[in-house]
Structure formats: structure tokens, C-alpha cells
Amino acid sequence: MRIIAGSAKGRILKSPKGMLTRPTLDRTRESLFNILENDGFNGAQVLDIFAGTGALGLEALSRGAVHCVFIDHRTHRLIAENAKICGFSDMYEVLPLEMSRAVSRLQGQKFQYIFSDPPYDKNLVNTTIFNLGIYNLLAPGGCILMEHSRREDIMYNPRFEVVREKTYGSDTRISFIRATQEGV
């Protein structure tokens, strides 16, 4: 796994041993960031939930985001190592907490991009979206990118709408989610 573009292009990221994480494949990440490139990352604040290796948030930092908060209670040390490899030592924070506790601590902050890649088929997709709405973390005009199993549907939430979905391989779907009303 490597950083695809930007200031840390080509840097090889460390991966955890075992099967506790399911890193987003390079080609999936490249496709995702190509879609987002129109909006740009310059100056963006980013949140990476269920961060694993930190590849999504680190890719955003490499492409011009100014700060990323990573949430993962299992791989927080690995994320710090990968941030150091990329030269982003002063551009990130890692919250080594369970998702809902970490998200509640971020209340009052706004993020232009929120990446979330929860474990598949664990009923965490809609719980995560609900928590993001409760704590009002999405900046006006921002985007939540939810990577999830094709078997998991995103339930109706009056705060958000799915504006695009893209499938990758036989099991992965990425939903692009925006706020239904600015400031809500």
C-alpha cells in the first residue's frame, strides 16, 4: 500500500499483521480521489474514522489537506508511524477510542471530508452516519465518504442524502453523502 499522489507520493505505508483490518485497495483509493479531485483538498480539515492504516486521511494530507483526525482504537500506533513516514508529524491527531466516544469529543469541529470504513456487516454504517449528524461534524458543502459492504444499505436520515454510489469488486460500495441542508 502506497500514497498515490501529492507531496508524499510513492511512500509505502505499513500494514497491520493479521486480518483485523481491511485496507482500501490502491486502485479503489485512486478512483475515489480522482472523483474528489474536482473539489480539491487544499486547506481541508479531514476526519478518517475506522482509519486502519490511515491511508485515506494520509492521501488527503498528501493532496493538500491541512489537518486530519484519525479514529481507530486498534491501530492508533500504526497510524502515527505511517504519518511519520509521510512527513506529516504535525498535521494529524489520533483518537484511540471507539467511534462513538471519539466522535462525541469532536463536537464543535467541522470537517470538509469525512472518510469512514467500518468493519463490514457489523451494523456500524448507519450508526456512524447517525453520530456524525448528532455531533454536526460535516462542514457546509462537505462530503462523507462511506465505504461499506454491498449488503449494507444506508437508511434514510433527514440530515443527509446519498448523492452518488460507486461499487468496487464483488463486495465494496462507496457512498458519497452530503448534508440535506446547510448548517443542519
Side-chain angles (χ1 to χ4, degrees):
M1 188 171 348
R2 64 184 171 81
I3 298 296
I4 296 160
S7 65
K9 180 180 179 177
R11 303 276 171 87
I12 305 296
L13 302 177
K14 293 183 178 183
S15 295
K17 294 179 172 113
M19 297 299 291
L20 287 177
T21 62
R22 175 193 30 75
T24 303
L25 299 174
D26 284 357
R27 68 175 185 268
T28 303
R29 209 164 7 96
E30 184 171 17
S31 173
L32 171 67
F33 278 88
N34 285 341
I35 292 167
L36 296 174
E37 199 62 42
N38 290 337
D39 293 336
F41 288 91
N42 287 335
Q45 298 285 333
V46 176
L47 176 59
D48 190 347
I49 308 171
F50 304 103
T53 63
L56 292 170
L58 294 170
E59 187 74 41
L61 289 171
S62 183
R63 292 172 184 244
V66 295
H67 191 261
C68 183
V69 176
F70 296 94
I71 297 173
D72 202 306
H73 67 282
R74 289 190 175 110
T75 62
H76 54 280
R77 288 183 186 93
L78 177 67
I79 294 166
E81 286 180 51
N82 283 335
K84 186 176 180 180
I85 288 168
C86 293
F88 301 139
S89 295
D90 59 345
M91 300 171 67
Y92 77 96
E93 175 183 2
V94 180
L95 298 178
L97 303 168
E98 178 271 328
M99 178 273 300
S100 59
R101 285 185 52 214
V103 168
S104 71
R105 286 193 179 181
L106 296 172
Q107 187 169 12
Q109 295 186 46
K110 297 287 184 189
F111 300 92
Q112 285 77 31
Y113 294 98
I114 300 175
F115 299 105
S116 181
D117 185 5
Y120 283 7
D121 303 316
K122 302 285 185 191
N123 299 316
L124 290 168
V125 171
N126 291 297
T127 301
T128 302
I129 293 169
F130 176 80
N131 277 287
L132 293 172
I134 290 295
Y135 297 109
N136 197 23
L137 299 180
L138 188 62
C143 187
I144 299 168
L145 295 110
M146 179 65 67
E147 183 174 336
H148 55 105
S149 165
R150 292 173 104 174
R151 294 176 297 280
E152 295 177 283
D153 290 322
I154 294 178
M155 297 177 355
Y156 171 76
N157 183 315
R159 293 178 180 262
F160 301 111
E161 64 181 329
V162 176
V163 295
R164 182 176 184 170
E165 286 190 327
K166 190 146 173 63
T167 58
Y168 297 91
S170 62
D171 198 34
T172 299
R173 181 172 18 166
I174 297 181
S175 298
F176 297 73
I177 303 166
R178 298 224 186 242
T180 54
Q181 300 174 7
E182 297 296 327
V184 175

